[in-house]
Amino acid sequence: MIQFRVLYSLDLLGTVTFAISGTLLAIEQQRKGYLASFLDFPRALLYAGLTALGGGTLRDLLLSRPIFWVRSPTYLSIALCTGSLTFLLSLTVLNSPRYFQNHLWLPDVISLATFTVVGTQVAMQQTFVLTHGILQSAGLPLLWLCSPLMGVLTGVGGGFIRDLLRRRKPFAIAHSQYPLASLAGGSLYQLARQLQMPNAFAIALTILSVVFMLSAKRSFPSSKRKPIEDGLKSQVLLNSHFDNSPPN
């Protein structure tokens, strides 16, 4: 019971975080002037709802199950309220949405991991007989990956649709480490549950693993500088050292 409440709380936190992220993207596109900003309010709510709820909606449609935010309107209410509050604050307080977005990285990653767990968990509980035998003909490896893939869809599907509406390259494609970390986390959760590990341990292990993978990628970015550029920079530093050294 306690672990259900913890997962449910993290799920709601993920809804809030993703709704803020979607609203901030709409704010960055808004036109100048308060009147024009208020006219962009519906778009901000659309981005908030898509980012927070879109992935889970696609998952439920593919699994032929009732859509989660229709069954539990709390999610929709939280997404819309969060989007509205973020948009109103942007007119008065948030002068730099990009600066505010940078501070959402850790909650955003934890939310991705939580959505991955929820999506994988839902798919594992759902029978794939509803897919009319299509997946059964694909073989066991694809069947095993179905639940983690539903976890990935839950985590990044909403942002994918949002970016398509914005006519931008989807974030999940431009930054492939996020869906890959989500897939690895979902696979780890499914493996842990199949090994009869406690659900609370599997959830904690998945969230920590996703956070660790994305933190490592963030801490050690790949260097794209050319060797000749590094050599020229080293030569400039060496010359400046000799120019500033005292005479013997």
Side-chain angles (χ1 to χ4, degrees), residues 30-42 87 91:
Q30 72 184 16
R31 298 175 292 273
K32 295 182 180 179
Y34 283 92
L35 180 60
S37 297
F38 278 113
L39 293 178
D40 287 328
F41 181 66
F87 188 86
L91 301 180

Side-chain angles (χ1 to χ4, degrees), residues 231-245:
L232 289 174
K233 184 176 180 180
S234 300
Q235 187 64 38
V236 170
L237 292 175
L238 186 63
N239 292 338
S240 63
H241 171 72
F242 283 112
D243 292 339
N244 296 328
S245 59

Side-chain angles (χ1 to χ4, degrees), residues 18-30 37-52 79-80 82-88 90 162:
F18 276 22
I20 293 175
S21 298
T23 307
L24 290 177
L25 287 177
I27 293 171
E28 288 184 356
Q29 289 186 348
Q30 72 184 16
S37 297
F38 278 113
L39 293 178
D40 287 328
F41 181 66
R43 181 176 62 185
L45 292 185
L46 175 63
Y47 285 3
L50 281 176
T51 309
L80 295 181
T82 302
S84 302
L85 182 60
T86 304
F87 188 86
L88 293 175
S90 71
R162 176 206 64 209

